[in-house]
Amino acid sequence: GAVVSQHPSRVICKSGTSVKIECRSLDFQATTMFWYRQFPKQSLMLMATSNEGSKATYEQGVEKDKFLINHASLTLSTLTVTSAHPEDSSFYICSALDSLSGNTIYFGEGSWLTVV
Amino acid sequence: AQRVTQPEKLLSVFKGAPVELKCNYSYSGSPELFWYVQYSRQRLQLLLRHISRESIKGFTADLNKGETSFHLKKPFAQEEDSAMYYCALTTGGGNKLTFGTGTQLKVEL
């Protein structure tokens, strides 16, 4: 099946710095990707919908200036956590919509972010 | 707003026993319902969707609009079924998934 790859899988950064997480669809083009956040033992919470060539659509309560999303190509979306704080530490998961295979959504393996 | 509820955080069954993972939803319209599975150290993957009305790995799920439920069932649990299962829905023909909190299924020998 289709593969979505996230990089890095784990990252540690210092408070106040920014960190970028990449999400790539490896064998299909994805005009739409999604970014989720998951706290331990909790559900996946949708943060934003990333649209190729246009601005991302953020869910209520998600700070767009803090979580910058760029979807510059049909196979790549990036999430940049700006001015990271320890409370931003979490598991971030992306998914990509394959519109040519019945709108199937494929998930990345997730990225662990630890802010120290 | 829509909501998905999975009342059990952990479900433990013996191999060969029937399995039922509960999922209830709240949404005033007609949602599309899904079950996703996450095996240990693997990514989330689609198990089945209600519009397909198919059986995957022996699992089935029927959408009950009256009870707003989409319970996942399998008549005989296998050890390899041990995983985290998430119920999810989309609304209005869109693709934004709303997830439940998940149920950890543990199949014991």
Side-chain angles (χ1 to χ4, degrees):
Chain A
V3 176
V4 173
S5 176
Q6 276 184 247
H7 177 81
S9 57
R10 289 182 180 273
V11 58
I12 300 173
C13 72
K14 291 185 177 181
S15 287
T17 63
S18 296
V19 61
K20 181 185 289 186
I21 301 171
E22 294 185 346
C23 179
R24 293 181 185 273
S25 56
L26 297 185
D27 51 3
F28 66 99
Q29 294 183 329
T31 55
T32 304
M33 293 185 176
F34 303 91
W35 286 96
Y36 295 84
R37 184 173 180 177
Q38 186 178 30
F39 291 103
K41 300 187 187 298
Q42 295 189 29
S43 186
L44 287 79
M45 299 300 296
L46 180 65
M47 298 174 66
T49 303
S50 173
N51 305 296
E52 188 270 333
S54 64
K55 291 183 178 180
T57 306
Y58 290 81
E59 295 301 301
Q60 193 172 10
V62 178
E63 297 176 62
K64 59 183 68 177
D65 293 331
K66 180 166 187 61
F67 298 100
L68 300 178
I69 291 173
N70 185 282
H71 195 153
S73 79
L74 287 170
T75 59
L76 173 65
S77 174
T78 60
L79 168 69
T80 301
V81 182
T82 63
S83 187
H85 289 281
E87 56 264 32
D88 298 325
S89 299
S90 190
F91 190 52
Y92 293 89
I93 304 172
C94 76
S95 66
L97 175 68
D98 186 353
S99 57
L100 296 182
S101 78
N103 280 351
T104 301
I105 294 174
Y106 297 97
F107 282 80
E109 62 268 58
S111 299
W112 281 104
L113 169 63
T114 302
V115 184
V116 298
Chain B
Q2 62 272 18
R3 187 171 181 173
V4 178
T5 303
Q6 293 179 252
E8 304 141 327
K9 287 193 173 183
L10 173 65
L11 182 64
S12 188
V13 301
F14 286 107
K15 179 181 175 181
V19 174
E20 183 179 51
L21 299 170
K22 290 183 168 41
C23 172
N24 287 88
Y25 66 91
S26 62
Y27 179 63
S28 56
S30 294
E32 184 172 352
L33 274 295
F34 305 82
W35 276 99
Y36 282 84
V37 61
Q38 187 171 29
Y39 299 103
S40 180
R41 301 183 184 281
Q42 295 187 28
R43 68 191 67 205
L44 208 61
Q45 56 184 286
L46 179 65
L47 181 62
L48 53 81
R49 56 205 306 180
H50 90 268
I51 59 170
S52 301
R53 302 185 67 82
E54 57 192 346
S55 173
I56 304 294
K57 299 185 179 183
F59 284 97
T60 58
D62 291 317
L63 179 60
N64 185 322
K65 292 186 178 181
E67 296 182 357
T68 59
S69 68
F70 188 57
H71 303 326
L72 183 68
K73 300 178 183 180
K74 184 170 182 176
F76 308 104
Q78 302 298 314
E79 191 179 359
E80 56 266 28
D81 296 329
S82 295
M84 191 73 171
Y85 291 81
Y86 292 95
C87 183
L89 63 77
T90 59
T91 63
N95 296 294
K96 293 197 315 185
L97 287 160
T98 298
F99 284 90
T101 49
T103 298
Q104 180 73 46
L105 174 64
K106 185 177 180 182
V107 180
E108 300 183 76
L109 300 176

